[in-house]
Amino acid sequence: MINIKLASTYLYLLIYILLSSGVILYNKWVLSPKYFNFPFPITLTMIHMGFSGAVAFFLVRVFKVVSPVKMTFEIYATCVVPISAFFASSLWFGNTAFLHISVAFIQMLRALMPVATFIMAVMCGISKPKCDVFLSMWLISVGVVISSYGEIHFNVIGTVYQVIGIFAEALRLVLTQVLLQKKGLTLNPITSLYYIAPCSFVFLFAAWCLLEKTQMQVSQDQNEFNYWIFFSNALCALALNFSIFLVIGRTGAVTIRVAGVVKDWMLRALSTVIFPESTITGLNIIGYGVGKSPSLLLFKVQAFSHIYISYLI
């Protein structure tokens, strides 16, 4: 007899893997000058946040699927605003990297995520340096260096954008731990988007006015804006946000971490098929193996695992 609970868990993991891979590949296709040619990462990220915030508003205020948490102005200003700022920054810089480097290399650089998260956690005082963790961090960094050295189409600008995005995401994770949980707030997938997405949209809108507004207007005069492409793209991003929280709620940390590794390998394989320029070399594979293997051991470090789980997002 089929275990329904186990089968549903595997189904959720499969949905997460497919959505996560699909959103990354879709974003790359939309932004790349070689394909859809919409080189405006801030605009794309702003569309995602605006759509997610609007859906969350209707679910909370109109359909009343969930109730909003007790949110004071002081908590919003000191907790939600900085978290939203770094969330917007991580998405912005991460999407900008698609313009310069391949999907496969981006996934290899994301092996640095536990290193960035640990550094930020130590700086914020919620983790302490330990020899075993430090050794894992060193091995991960060596693996990323090897992968970078073996990258055929290495681009400094794209690498810098991706690394900045990684550290912004790491700081967002740490701030979520430090600020929200100390206030006793627990946000579910819908309320998280309800509070964070609109604020992130505001930050992105300010950046858009300064950096992309004029270029966007010129481009729109020359090319027709395809609303269906961006609607479907934003819908996929929203579904991914929901699936992440759904999977985390149904599985343990090790299970979802293994699913993330499977997703990474599958994504690199798919990217080489869909985007021929995404060439993977032997050094890339060796470096990724060196960088990824120690990261699984970090779950044994209790002081670090409570924020490291969010690395999968």
Side-chain angles (χ1 to χ4, degrees):
M1 184 176 178
I2 299 176
N3 188 320
I4 297 178
K5 184 176 180 180
L6 182 62
S8 62
T9 299
Y10 280 119
L11 177 62
Y12 293 149
L13 286 170
L14 178 61
I15 292 173
Y16 158 73
I17 291 172
L18 292 176
L19 283 173
S20 181
S21 302
V23 168
I24 292 172
L25 293 172
Y26 202 170
N27 286 351
K28 172 65 175 180
W29 180 81
V30 170
L31 292 168
S32 177
K34 294 183 179 180
Y35 300 97
F36 187 72
N37 191 24
F38 185 80
F40 304 106
I42 301 176
T43 306
L44 184 66
T45 310
M46 192 169 63
I47 291 172
H48 290 173
M49 289 297 97
F51 182 77
S52 297
V55 171
F57 175 84
F58 277 99
L59 291 176
V60 173
R61 292 298 182 182
V62 179
F63 299 107
K64 301 187 184 300
V65 176
V66 296
S67 300
V69 301
K70 188 176 181 181
M71 180 75 66
T72 64
F73 177 79
E74 185 267 337
I75 293 177
Y76 191 87
T78 59
C79 298
V80 175
V81 170
I83 290 171
S84 300
F86 286 107
F87 184 46
S89 299
S90 67
L91 295 175
W92 166 13
F93 287 110
N95 281 334
T96 303
F98 284 127
L99 297 174
H100 306 281
I101 55 180
S102 67
V103 172
F105 187 49
I106 284 175
Q107 293 306 113
M108 292 173 191
L109 289 175
R110 282 189 63 82
L112 280 174
M113 189 66 197
V115 177
T117 305
F118 181 69
I119 291 173
M120 294 302 174
V122 171
M123 291 177 62
C124 292
I126 63 175
S127 288
K128 295 181 179 180
K130 295 183 179 181
C131 292
D132 53 350
V133 179
F134 179 79
L135 178 60
S136 295
M137 298 297 112
W138 185 81
L139 288 174
I140 291 171
S141 301
V142 169
V144 173
V145 171
I146 294 173
S147 293
S148 301
Y149 183 78
E151 177 64 18
I152 295 176
H153 305 291
F154 181 80
N155 182 283
V156 175
I157 296 176
T159 302
V160 170
Y161 273 122
Q162 183 61 36
V163 171
I164 293 175
I166 288 170
F167 274 88
E169 175 66 4
L171 189 52
R172 195 268 302 183
L173 297 177
V174 173
L175 286 178
T176 300
Q177 173 72 18
V178 172
L179 299 178
L180 286 184
Q181 292 192 12
K182 281 191 175 181
K183 299 291 185 179
L185 293 179
T186 301
L187 301 179
N188 60 45
I190 299 176
T191 53
S192 293
L193 291 176
Y194 176 74
Y195 290 108
I196 293 175
C199 190
S200 295
F201 178 87
V202 172
F203 283 108
L204 290 166
F205 181 75
W208 178 79
C209 290
L210 293 173
L211 300 174
E212 287 187 0
K213 181 180 179 181
T214 303
Q215 297 178 16
M216 181 73 183
Q217 290 172 342
V218 173
S219 176
Q220 193 170 359
D221 291 338
Q222 297 174 351
N223 302 293
E224 184 179 355
F225 192 85
N226 193 320
Y227 291 95
W228 287 108
I229 290 291
F230 294 101
F231 172 75
S232 60
N233 184 262
L235 189 62
C236 289
L238 176 66
L240 174 60
N241 283 327
F242 286 148
S243 73
I244 289 169
F245 289 97
L246 183 64
V247 169
I248 290 175
R250 290 296 298 264
T251 65
V254 175
T255 303
I256 192 172
R257 183 69 196 97
V258 172
V261 173
V262 173
K263 181 262 295 183
D264 288 345
W265 282 109
M266 185 181 76
L267 184 56
R268 273 186 298 279
L270 285 174
S271 68
T272 58
V273 175
I274 299 174
F275 308 111
E277 68 274 12
S278 299
T279 306
I280 298 179
T281 66
L283 277 178
N284 288 150
I285 296 174
I286 293 172
Y288 184 76
V290 172
K292 276 294 186 180
S293 297
S295 64
L296 288 173
L297 300 176
L298 295 176
F299 286 104
K300 297 181 180 179
V301 184
Q302 186 65 29
F304 188 56
S305 61
H306 60 294
I307 54 175
Y308 179 65
I309 181 61
S310 299
Y311 153 57
L312 289 166
I313 297 177

